[in-house]
Amino acid sequence: MASQIHVNLSPAELAYLHASLSLTPPIRPDGRSPDQYRPLSAETGILPGTNGSARICFADGTEAIVGVKAEVEKTGRRWDDDTIFLEGGGDDEEGGDKEKGSTQQGGNKEWVELTVEIPGQRDDDSATVFLAQMLSEALLADGGFVERLKINRGWHWKLYLDILLISPPLSYPLPLLSLTTHLALLSTRLPRLKSEGDEDPFFDDDWAAAPYLYPRDKKARPPVTLLVMAVGNNIIFDPAKEELAVADVVLAVSVADVADRKGKGVEDEDMDVDGRKLKLLSIRTVDPPSRLTPPGVPNASNTAYGHASAGATQQKMPEARAVESEAVEGVWKAPRGGAKLAVMGALVQKVLQKGGVADEVLDALEAVDLS
Amino acid sequence: MPLDTSTYSLALLRVDGRRWNELRRLHAQIRTQAAADGSSYLEMGHTKVMCVVTGPSEPGPRRGGGIGGGAGGQSKDAEVVVNIVIAGFSSVDRKRRGRGDKRTQEMQSTVANALAASLHTHLFPHSQINVSLHVLSQDGSLLAALINAATLACVDAGIPMTDYVAACTAGSTSTYAANDESADPLLDLNHQEEQELPSLTVATLGDSDRVVVLVCESRVQISRLEGMLAVGVDGCKQVRELLDRVVREKGQRMILEGTVEKGTGLNDLD
Amino acid sequence: MTDRRRINGPAGTTIPPIFEDTSNKEDANSVKGRTRAPDAVRKMFLRTGVTPTASGSAYLEYESSAKSGVSGIKLSCTVHGPRSLPRSSPFSPHIVLSTHVKYAPFATKQRRGYLRDPSERDLGTHLETALRGAIIADRWPKSGVDIIISVIEGDQDRASSGPQSDETWDMMNVLSGCITVASAALADAGIDCVDTVAGGVAALVQGPSEDTPPSVVVDPIPSEHERILGACCIAYLPTRDEVTNLWFKGDLPASEMDLYTKLVENGILASASASKVLVDCLKDALA
Amino acid sequence: MSTTTTTLAIPGQLLGSTSKYQPGPGTHIHESNLYASLLGSVRIVHPAAAPTTKPTGPVKRLTKLSALTNQSSSSSSSLKKQSSSPDQLPTISVTVSAEDNHHNKKREILPEVGNVVLCKVIRITPRQAVVSILVCGDTVLEAEWQGLIRVQDVRATEKDRVKVYESFRPGDVVRAEVISLGDQANYYLATSKNELGVILATSEAGNTMHPISWKEYRDPVTGLTELRKVAKPY
Amino acid sequence: MPREAEPSLNEKQFVIQALQENLRLDGRELEQYRPLELTLGDQYGVADATLGKTRVLAKASAELTVPYTDRPLDGIFTIATELSPMTSPAFELNRPTETEVLLSRLLEKTVRRSNALDTESLCLIAGQKCWSVRVDVHVLSHDGNLIDAACFAVVSALRHFKKPDTSMEGGVLTVYTAAEREPVPLSWLHSPFCVTWSFYGEQGEIAVLDATWLEEQVRVGSCTISLNRHGEICQISKLGGTPVEAVALLQCSAVSLTKVKEFSTYLDEKLAEDAKRRNKGGLLAELSAENDR
């Protein structure tokens, strides 16, 4: 959860931040507009040793590198209705389409292995695990992805995604990592299959001929995970560390572009103008670090100002810190409780609406030329 | 696959077409990253390493892989903490090694101690210098590359140091079993050669003959040590020159861009 | 991350049992689909104070489904603390919450190890997020509380050898249970909460045939449905009408936002009914 | 004693508006309404009686060690209270008490700034005395909380003359007041009041001593005196 | 975590001063070892090496397991080093310190990677059954130069160790107890030993062998060289520290060779002694079923 990143801001500063962010329009510390991302520079195909790789550097200097490696793996050996054809042999028809059915259900966890490396954090640290789970969850939720990995009924590709955060984690790295992963997958190519049918696969070793995992001509794109937060009624995208420190609620929303998705006959009518058809893959609540911020002391109960009352009444009353006070204007109080449903709905809506931020981000990423 | 050294004896050319005393292409950059105090990117052949230095700073909570000179920032010298991440995709066949991996830890402490020898840590008491290294691709001479990258990053970070710590590998043709004295020493081995031939990694301080790091992990006749060491040491001198050039060029550029004030006598330096 | 504390058997030598899929056979008594109404949650049993040594504890059990061989969920939760933080940890003006969710080795069809695997850690993080919102953290400075949940039975279809992907949906069910049971245990431990948080799950399921439009059900059991298109797990504060944790996963066209909202509403429905049980349980714990 | 135990409350239950009640322990304010934050019974304490009522939190424990102190000091505090808070709203609070939860489990409470605690001296240094807090108010604590009496907090006057080893010895039981939450490890305590200080001391000979002056204890057997910061007996 | 108490400034000064005048606190020459004692246990594969106050006990053991899938033709050979709090309060269980990691890596490189033990001979049925030989190193007391002592202990333990004899007839693998057949020694290829140098002075010009704990604490650098008696270097590791002239290192390696020869002769004597002690009345000749190749 985000609370792992520590912010040292005084209650006064927090109160100020919160106030300025809940203005309409909100005033962000770095002067961005609410749905504006940090400027970034990206490049792909930086590592010849991998099937696909990408590097993104945010303007604030945070930098991540993602490398994708693919290995051929026997399918079989799954506790599935179609374990009938274990070693790819003994093929019978309904085995095949059953398999299809099952893979459509979000596919096999084992086909994708995603690891996140954050300097200074153990790789089994719960925050890191949370990140990894979030990113892989988005990938797997899109059934089409796993179908891409199928070679034939006996064999499939296993993808290894290694995500490295190069810079020290200045802000919650989720957006950065997600964008980088997206690019890396876009640039990923798998060797062209030469064998046909269910025979053991062998491949064309001409790299130039290797097709992309996400073919260029199709509109399909890997998922991106956006970090959205709300302060008061304002919705703010790609929040910086300081902004997270006063967030009321933080959501991580994963969307993907599924223009070429067959199956449910819905997409035809509501294609929007640029033919992009967004799909909601996963939403997670991220624990806002604001809950762990130190509260301010309203002047009334500030003993330093001679109002000894608080001290005195507490005199012989253990637990009397519970003496509650109404929220005082300009005094920071760590938020309690959760978020109203309406707010959450608005967040998601803002992400998904046509021409919304998700659209913009995907456009921006398509602009990156894939070497 | 076994590397037939016979071809070498014929043409005196190595598998990748180098002579015995040739380095691979060494490409390096410094100040690759805005966020860090110091950063560098270094390629030796296909071995690619990134380095980020933060500090000298107040020692944070003890992190994993915290192996270094001082003792928990309590010492009167700055503690050099090195953290090496070997990316899963770096080697040809993907293998993932966790933080606990002993070999990585050994390299961490080696780099840390090598730097500590050259950096003026006594200038920063009770503080910590964090060096985090990322291995993006490996093709032999990994340790050497790590040391060089770390040195560059420290230069970029502006941490006072005695001199560059430059490293490279040296090997010897024909395996230890064949006890021929005619075996030639080799410079800067790649992965294939490292697998087949006896090799050692040597790092020297500046252009002196003084060895900071000497690591040999393969069986070799003691008689051959001298030859290999000699080649290695003078390889290090070449490497130092290259590193030095990188730094100077960057310096020049920064002056032209006006990012830094032009100091006096910088022209007579180069 | 290998388990160095105990002597482990050789890796990968155990394969989970695959039982004969009775649902394929045309015998009358085997229930295939869901028997409950779409908006009916399973009956659950909740009781606090089951572990005398802990400062707070609770036990939660879901009834097992009508479908043969599908087990319910059994969870036990213990709360330790508030206790003084270890000397190494820095000063904290709030209570420091640490959540551990652990499957018993026999809880699911596939044996779980003794070390927490990523999915368990993930659950722990979700749970923490859900509870952080409920707890009034600044009542307990400089102190920490450990919330330990052990999943005794993990809601998996043992009879039919369902595909792996079901696991994630099971996780959601388990998480909702964890949230409810943890909140009961917290109340039992006497740690200040703004409200009794309760968890609930709703899912978007494919109808019996492909052409029927997908429908929304609460508290789904994966194996009872043809296919689950998406599901969401919600941690809900009934009296404040607020959500502390929302976890949605699925495959939902952006054009169908109404489906999504419907899903969330049903999720809240489920957690509301869970919180009824919770409230009653707490009430008679007092009486 | 006009305390009225009305009903049972569960966390999140509405208790009334802030215009009607003052928030006491186990309650919290949300949108100018009072809600319960604990599982327990609701108590409404009327202001006139407020000072003399026992502290609501620890009432469940019957280990009275300092009844007298409560009387005297609470009366003193009552005066302050009168002056400070003119509006006399009844205080509403939710408490977990032994009788109303069937397996009578004790609920942990924390030392607060301003509490009087009883603690045992663990070790002394020239700068401070390290103590472990045993009793807070009237409640014997479950968890192990460590405290610190710094040399400048031992006495109200002539602080620069204070020597820790002339004020405390390991093993002494000290009555002290919490002055700060302190650092991550220790609460900061002070004995800079007459009624605060060592209340139980054993001599080097190992006998329990009795106080003879504001700074001396005497061993009844050997007749030797030792220096302490003596708490004023009642 | 508790840290080792550092020697006082005076101590440091004194030791270094002395070394600059070629004097050591215990009156040794700079290149002289402390008396090395080896005790072989009654059980096969137990070796207890003492070097002054440093004492290391190594125990070799073997069990039947399945070979690793990626190396079906090799047996398994592991060296387990754990520094217990018994050795020094600075060590904790389950949290390897730097010293521990480096020590185990050194033993690993010296004994295992230089394949002193022929692991292929440990394989009984390819891909199915093989011996897993394991050496546990226990440091009983630590007064400097752990590495050399530990390495010596490990090698002698392995040399001394005998594994149960086995036979294959018609795909049936039989493992004989010591009563049925005399256990057979491991097929041992060469005996590497570590020699650790400590360096002192500004330029690291003073090289000292077998430093005590106090001396180790004040040294500016160290270098461990592993050789066998045939003058084959198995491993060199100078992991940072104050730079040392290359020539000096070469001299060190030369001196190390002589030391290593002393070690191996000493070990051979000890083993011979032990064999004689066991072989009462020369019964072993009949008992052992292996034909000497």
Side-chain angles (χ1 to χ4, degrees):
Chain A
M1 52 257 133
S3 52
Q4 248 48 14
I5 320 165
H6 218 65
V7 279
N8 318 327
L9 293 174
S10 71
E13 289 169 298
L14 291 167
Y16 170 75
L17 266 171
H18 188 272
S20 58
L21 284 177
S22 34
L23 295 172
T24 44
I27 299 169
R28 302 178 68 170
D30 49 10
R32 280 184 283 157
S33 70
D35 51 7
Q36 188 181 5
Y37 260 64
R38 282 165 287 184
L40 58 83
S41 64
E43 55 179 323
T44 58
I46 51 169
L47 301 169
T50 61
N51 294 59
S53 59
R55 165 174 174 275
I56 288 189
C57 200
F58 269 145
D60 64 0
T62 50
E63 179 181 11
I65 289 186
V66 172
V68 183
K69 255 179 158 7
E71 288 174 7
V72 181
E73 207 175 60
K74 254 197 171 43
T75 301
R77 290 324 218 89
R78 298 168 32 196
W79 323 298
D80 200 346
D81 306 316
D82 54 348
T83 12
I84 312 145
F85 64 99
L86 262 183
E87 311 312 332
D91 45 349
D92 51 319
E93 288 328 302
E94 101 282 355
D97 45 34
K98 272 235 193 86
E99 156 113 11
K100 242 176 155 315
S102 67
T103 44
Q104 273 166 359
Q105 298 187 358
N108 273 30
K109 279 215 187 81
E110 293 77 20
W111 289 18
V112 175
E113 187 177 314
L114 186 146
T115 59
V116 178
E117 282 277 3
I118 294 181
Q121 274 189 21
R122 294 169 47 82
D123 40 12
D124 60 347
D125 179 287
S126 63
T128 321
V129 170
F130 191 67
L131 277 171
Q133 293 279 323
M134 206 179 327
L135 293 168
S136 57
E137 170 174 274
L139 274 180
L140 291 169
D142 163 3
F145 177 69
V146 180
E147 275 162 21
R148 295 173 197 282
L149 297 181
K150 286 187 65 183
I151 297 169
N152 56 36
R153 291 195 1 228
W155 300 82
H156 66 84
W157 287 106
K158 174 159 188 176
L159 276 197
Y160 295 93
L161 283 84
D162 292 279
I163 304 178
L164 304 188
L165 185 64
I166 301 292
S167 64
L170 295 175
S171 59
Y172 193 50
L174 176 64
L176 174 63
L177 299 187
S178 150
L179 295 185
T180 322
T181 316
H182 177 94
L183 282 182
L185 283 171
L186 269 185
S187 71
T188 301
R189 315 164 76 170
L190 301 174
R192 192 162 60 81
L193 187 63
K194 269 174 141 178
S195 61
E196 48 294 276
D198 285 343
E199 71 199 15
D200 291 5
F202 59 93
F203 298 95
D204 187 350
D205 49 12
D206 171 14
W207 185 244
Y212 281 95
L213 178 64
Y214 285 86
R216 289 286 160 275
D217 46 358
K218 305 251 186 55
K219 287 215 79 58
R221 290 287 175 268
V224 284
T225 307
L226 309 175
L227 194 64
V228 199
M229 69 174 241
V231 175
N233 302 327
N234 289 334
I235 296 174
I236 293 170
F237 284 84
D238 184 28
K241 181 170 151 196
E242 300 78 19
E243 295 168 321
L244 276 173
V246 295
D248 293 341
V249 54
V250 185
L251 285 188
V253 185
S254 309
V255 296
D257 181 356
V258 282
D260 72 332
R261 191 68 197 296
K262 294 161 297 302
K264 307 190 300 296
V266 263
E267 55 272 80
D268 313 333
E269 58 272 19
D270 50 3
M271 285 276 204
D272 53 29
V273 277
D274 55 10
R276 170 174 295 125
K277 178 167 179 326
L278 288 180
K279 191 175 57 174
L280 178 61
L281 290 179
S282 89
I283 300 176
R284 282 183 176 219
T285 318
V286 177
D287 188 18
S290 53
R291 295 222 179 98
L292 291 179
T293 46
V297 182
N299 230 346
S301 61
N302 185 349
T303 44
Y305 280 75
H307 306 273
S309 64
T313 42
Q314 285 174 12
Q315 190 77 23
K316 294 288 170 282
M317 263 178 76
E319 287 195 274
R321 193 184 303 95
V323 174
E324 286 265 323
S325 56
E326 292 282 357
V328 183
E329 185 51 46
V331 176
W332 173 250
K333 225 156 165 285
R336 279 178 192 162
K340 293 289 178 201
L341 200 52
V343 180
M344 291 216 172
L347 286 174
V348 180
Q349 189 63 44
K350 194 108 178 1
V351 174
L352 291 177
Q353 67 196 343
K354 290 191 174 61
V357 178
D359 265 348
E360 287 175 21
V361 171
L362 285 170
D363 286 336
L365 287 172
E366 272 172 29
V368 178
D369 63 331
L370 297 165
S371 48
Chain B
M1 98 233 28
L3 162 70
D4 56 344
T5 39
S6 57
T7 56
Y8 176 80
S9 50
L10 295 178
L12 292 181
L13 284 180
R14 287 152 67 174
V15 276
D16 51 8
R18 282 182 292 154
R19 296 275 173 199
W20 64 275
N21 61 351
E22 274 183 83
L23 284 172
R24 288 176 291 176
R25 171 174 167 284
L26 187 146
H27 165 74
Q29 295 167 270
I30 63 173
R31 194 150 300 186
T32 53
Q33 217 213 36
D37 297 333
S39 54
S40 68
Y41 171 76
L42 180 119
E43 290 181 13
M44 289 173 79
H46 289 113
T47 304
K48 298 177 181 170
V49 181
M50 262 189 155
C51 180
V52 171
V53 172
T54 47
S57 58
E58 191 182 351
R62 298 295 268 133
R63 287 274 169 74
I67 294 181
Q74 298 312 314
S75 69
K76 60 188 196 313
D77 297 356
E79 176 184 15
V80 184
V81 175
V82 176
N83 196 342
I84 297 180
V85 174
I86 300 185
F89 50 76
S90 60
S91 48
V92 177
D93 48 351
R94 181 192 185 286
K95 84 166 71 72
R96 163 150 177 70
R97 34 173 90 260
R99 277 250 165 32
D101 177 45
K102 292 214 167 109
R103 179 161 164 268
T104 320
Q105 286 190 29
E106 187 188 41
M107 286 198 290
Q108 281 174 348
S109 79
T110 308
V111 176
N113 294 333
L115 287 178
S118 150
L119 297 176
H120 293 175
T121 52
H122 61 277
L123 297 175
F124 311 99
H126 301 291
S127 58
Q128 196 178 51
I129 300 172
N130 278 298
V131 180
S132 86
L133 286 152
H134 296 263
V135 180
L136 303 182
S137 145
Q138 40 182 334
D139 178 26
S141 313
L142 180 56
L143 181 57
L146 288 170
I147 293 176
N148 294 336
T151 308
L152 278 179
C154 286
V155 172
D156 180 27
I159 304 169
M161 57 170 72
T162 330
D163 201 337
Y164 294 85
V165 180
C168 72
T169 53
S172 167
T173 53
S174 80
T175 53
Y176 72 94
N179 195 350
D180 53 352
E181 290 312 315
S182 68
D184 283 2
L186 296 176
L187 182 59
D188 189 11
L189 280 68
N190 61 23
H191 181 65
Q192 200 181 3
E193 290 169 324
E194 249 178 10
Q195 295 301 88
E196 302 293 329
L197 304 174
S199 69
L200 53 77
T201 303
V202 54
T204 61
L205 183 69
D207 47 11
S208 70
D209 281 353
R210 297 171 51 205
V211 178
V212 183
V213 176
L214 175 61
V215 177
C216 166
E217 300 196 340
S218 45
R219 263 166 99 177
V220 57
Q221 291 295 334
I222 191 164
S223 54
R224 276 207 232 135
L225 180 63
E226 182 164 9
M228 289 164 68
L229 197 53
V231 174
V233 165
D234 117 310
C236 290
K237 289 184 181 140
Q238 299 182 40
V239 173
R240 183 193 179 280
E241 285 317 307
L242 293 167
L243 299 185
D244 191 48
R245 198 173 306 141
V246 171
V247 173
R248 289 187 189 282
E249 279 166 5
K250 181 67 178 177
Q252 304 270 9
R253 215 173 310 117
M254 285 167 68
I255 289 172
L256 293 183
E257 293 160 356
T259 42
V260 289
E261 187 61 32
K262 181 184 187 307
T264 51
L266 195 133
N267 293 342
D268 15 305
L269 283 185
D270 51 32
Chain C
M1 191 72 185
T2 54
D3 185 354
R4 285 199 276 98
R5 293 256 157 68
R6 14 189 119 55
I7 301 169
N8 300 304
T13 48
T14 55
I15 301 173
I18 298 176
F19 301 101
E20 189 185 6
D21 192 345
T22 52
S23 58
N24 282 350
K25 312 231 178 328
E26 310 310 333
D27 48 1
N29 57 359
S30 79
V31 192
K32 260 186 92 68
R34 177 186 175 107
T35 48
R36 285 172 288 139
D39 60 350
V41 299
R42 281 176 285 177
K43 292 203 190 63
M44 55 178 99
F45 168 83
L46 179 61
R47 137 180 264 161
T48 59
V50 289
T51 319
T53 53
S55 26
S57 60
Y59 172 81
L60 175 68
E61 180 169 340
Y62 281 64
E63 70 168 338
S64 52
S65 108
K67 190 165 183 288
S68 61
V70 181
S71 50
I73 301 181
K74 294 188 177 65
L75 303 168
S76 95
C77 172
T78 56
V79 173
H80 295 282
R83 47 165 82 149
S84 52
L85 290 168
R87 303 187 57 84
S88 57
S89 62
F91 178 88
S92 136
H94 300 89
I95 195 162
V96 175
L97 195 64
S98 70
T99 53
H100 301 260
V101 179
K102 183 77 195 78
Y103 280 82
F106 48 80
T108 52
K109 193 170 47 182
Q110 185 191 9
R111 181 182 182 279
R112 299 288 191 130
Y114 285 98
L115 294 169
R116 286 193 295 161
D117 64 5
S119 69
E120 285 163 334
R121 292 178 183 278
D122 192 23
L123 276 177
T125 323
H126 277 294
L127 181 63
E128 182 169 358
T129 314
L131 295 180
R132 271 264 176 74
I135 288 185
I136 305 180
D138 50 11
R139 291 277 165 94
W140 302 95
K142 296 175 54 160
S143 43
V145 59
D146 299 325
I147 298 168
I148 294 129
I149 293 186
S150 48
V151 182
I152 302 164
E153 202 164 56
D155 191 41
Q156 271 209 351
D157 187 348
R158 289 164 191 257
S160 86
S161 55
Q164 270 279 287
S165 53
D166 279 359
E167 212 177 59
T168 42
W169 311 125
D170 283 322
M171 264 177 75
M172 284 202 175
N173 281 335
V174 170
L175 176 60
S176 70
C178 289
I179 293 166
T180 316
V181 74
S183 125
L186 277 174
D188 184 40
I191 292 170
D192 302 71
C193 297
V194 292
D195 200 347
T196 52
V197 59
V201 183
L204 181 68
V205 295
Q206 182 64 268
S209 66
E210 279 292 321
D211 47 9
T212 50
S215 60
V216 174
V217 299
V218 301
D219 190 12
I221 300 178
S223 58
E224 281 182 354
H225 301 285
E226 197 59 30
R227 192 171 138 211
I228 295 188
L229 303 172
C232 78
C233 174
I234 287 191
Y236 180 65
L237 305 172
T239 45
R240 291 169 79 108
D241 179 31
E242 287 176 345
V243 176
T244 58
N245 187 17
L246 164 66
W247 180 22
F248 167 84
K249 184 175 187 302
D251 193 337
L252 206 59
S255 51
E256 302 180 1
M257 274 304 288
D258 48 346
L259 261 180
Y260 162 74
T261 37
K262 191 144 175 284
L263 204 55
V264 174
E265 279 156 8
N266 278 278
I268 288 181
L269 211 71
S271 36
S273 51
S275 87
K276 280 196 200 69
V277 180
L278 181 53
V279 168
D280 298 345
C281 160
L282 294 181
K283 282 255 168 69
D284 55 18
L286 276 180
Chain D
M1 184 87 177
S2 63
T3 307
T4 51
T5 302
T6 52
T7 54
L8 306 177
I10 65 162
Q13 183 170 323
L14 176 63
L15 298 176
S17 91
T18 41
S19 54
K20 285 180 61 223
Y21 298 108
Q22 277 183 346
T27 65
H28 71 283
I29 301 178
H30 177 54
E31 289 159 352
S32 74
N33 274 328
L34 278 169
Y35 294 87
S37 64
L38 284 180
L39 176 65
S41 55
V42 181
R43 282 160 198 277
I44 298 172
V45 179
H46 290 291
T52 53
T53 49
K54 285 280 140 288
T56 40
V59 77
K60 59 187 186 284
R61 311 306 308 288
L62 301 166
T63 54
K64 296 279 186 309
L65 273 163
S66 50
L68 283 165
T69 27
N70 269 293
Q71 279 311 336
S72 63
S73 47
S74 55
S75 56
S76 66
S77 76
S78 71
L79 298 173
K80 290 209 206 76
K81 187 170 167 63
Q82 304 297 0
S83 58
S84 66
S85 58
D87 57 320
Q88 293 302 316
L89 292 173
T91 307
I92 191 164
S93 57
V94 178
T95 58
V96 192
S97 38
E99 56 268 24
D100 60 12
N101 82 19
H102 44 77
H103 49 283
N104 62 351
K105 187 151 35 66
K106 313 159 215 90
R107 181 161 160 274
E108 183 60 21
I109 69 166
L110 298 183
E112 305 280 337
V113 173
N115 291 159
V116 167
V117 298
L118 299 183
C119 46
K120 189 183 203 104
V121 179
I122 298 174
R123 61 180 174 277
I124 59 176
T125 72
R127 315 270 320 111
Q128 67 206 22
V130 180
V131 304
S132 94
I133 302 175
L134 309 171
V135 177
C136 172
D138 296 343
T139 316
V140 178
L141 299 177
E142 303 301 316
E144 166 76 14
W145 302 98
Q146 195 169 305
L148 211 59
I149 305 178
R150 299 169 300 176
V151 66
Q152 64 265 39
D153 301 325
V154 170
R155 199 161 61 190
T157 57
E158 292 184 307
K159 296 188 174 189
D160 45 1
R161 295 270 199 77
V162 177
K163 298 202 171 43
V164 171
Y165 63 87
E166 289 178 355
S167 313
F168 307 110
R169 295 292 174 86
D172 294 359
V173 175
V174 178
R175 186 190 300 135
E177 181 182 353
V178 181
I179 57 172
S180 144
L181 292 182
D183 56 19
Q184 74 270 29
N186 308 305
Y187 284 85
Y188 287 172
L189 310 177
T191 56
S192 51
K193 282 184 185 166
N194 281 343
E195 66 271 14
L196 301 178
V198 178
I199 57 174
L200 180 69
T202 51
S203 69
E204 285 169 352
N207 313 318
T208 310
M209 304 190 289
H210 47 75
I212 54 172
S213 79
W214 63 278
K215 54 184 240 185
E216 278 178 311
Y217 266 91
R218 181 191 281 121
D219 182 335
V221 183
T222 61
L224 299 175
T225 61
E226 293 182 16
L227 292 173
R228 293 285 195 280
K229 197 307 184 180
V230 182
K232 174 157 160 283
Y234 309 100
Chain E
M1 117 180 162
R3 254 186 296 117
E4 197 66 51
E6 294 202 352
S8 69
L9 279 176
N10 311 10
E11 282 180 285
K12 290 183 184 169
Q13 284 301 332
F14 181 65
V15 173
I16 292 169
Q17 186 90 42
L19 284 169
Q20 259 143 2
E21 297 159 12
N22 293 352
L23 294 172
R24 294 176 74 171
L25 297 195
D26 46 15
R28 279 184 284 153
E29 299 301 314
L30 292 189
E31 299 182 351
Q32 184 186 355
Y33 263 79
R34 288 170 288 180
L36 173 65
E37 289 294 334
L38 174 67
T39 329
L40 295 167
D42 303 341
Q43 211 179 347
Y44 283 127
V46 180
D48 176 350
T50 59
L51 198 54
K53 286 212 204 67
T54 302
R55 181 171 176 196
V56 180
L57 182 127
K59 167 91 171 68
S61 57
E63 61 176 354
L64 278 178
T65 50
V66 184
Y68 295 127
T69 46
D70 52 348
R71 329 203 47 158
L73 294 180
D74 287 8
I76 301 171
F77 173 37
T78 49
I79 304 177
T81 350
E82 196 160 89
L83 299 182
S84 67
M86 176 173 81
T87 313
S88 130
F91 300 128
E92 284 179 58
L93 289 176
N94 302 328
R95 196 200 292 158
T97 55
E98 182 183 3
T99 352
E100 181 170 345
V101 172
L102 294 185
L103 174 59
S104 58
R105 270 293 288 171
L106 262 169
L107 295 178
E108 179 97 3
K109 288 191 284 189
T110 309
V111 183
R112 236 179 113 232
R113 295 188 77 250
S114 75
N115 40 35
L117 173 64
D118 170 21
T119 49
E120 291 183 9
S121 72
L122 294 177
C123 182
L124 299 171
I125 309 171
Q128 291 175 31
K129 278 273 169 282
C130 73
W131 285 108
S132 154
V133 176
R134 167 191 173 97
V135 188
D136 293 271
V137 181
H138 303 281
V139 177
L140 301 180
S141 85
H142 177 14
D143 185 29
N145 203 7
L146 270 187
I147 293 170
D148 298 8
C151 179
F152 186 77
V154 168
V155 171
S156 20
L158 284 164
R159 289 275 302 276
H160 183 236
F161 180 63
K162 288 190 170 53
K163 66 177 193 292
D165 196 0
T166 57
S167 71
M168 281 283 294
E169 293 106 357
V172 178
L173 176 70
T174 331
V175 179
Y176 299 96
T177 62
E180 293 164 336
R181 281 197 195 175
E182 177 64 14
V184 295
L186 302 166
S187 79
W188 191 254
L189 300 180
H190 70 110
S191 307
F193 296 97
C194 294
V195 178
T196 303
W197 294 84
S198 304
F199 299 105
Y200 298 87
E202 281 308 304
Q203 310 288 320
E205 64 275 2
I206 311 173
V208 171
L209 268 178
D210 183 28
T212 63
W213 177 228
L214 179 59
E215 288 169 330
E216 276 189 6
Q217 280 173 305
V218 300
R219 74 185 172 192
V220 296
S222 75
C223 173
T224 304
I225 306 177
S226 313
L227 308 112
N228 57 20
R229 61 136 59 84
H230 318 299
E232 285 166 358
I233 294 177
C234 301
Q235 173 278 130
I236 303 178
S237 54
K238 179 186 186 316
L239 311 175
T242 301
V244 176
E245 288 295 335
V247 190
L249 284 173
L250 287 174
Q251 287 163 353
C252 289
S253 60
V255 179
S256 312
L257 183 51
T258 61
K259 294 291 173 189
V260 165
K261 286 184 173 142
E262 291 171 18
F263 286 154
S264 45
T265 41
Y266 176 64
L267 176 54
D268 294 346
E269 287 167 11
K270 277 291 181 181
L271 287 168
E273 240 173 68
D274 182 69
K276 199 177 297 112
R277 186 168 59 78
R278 291 172 183 281
N279 186 0
K280 295 270 187 312
L283 292 171
L284 289 191
E286 302 94 80
L287 280 176
S288 91
E290 65 164 347
N291 45 359
D292 39 13
R293 34 184 105 81

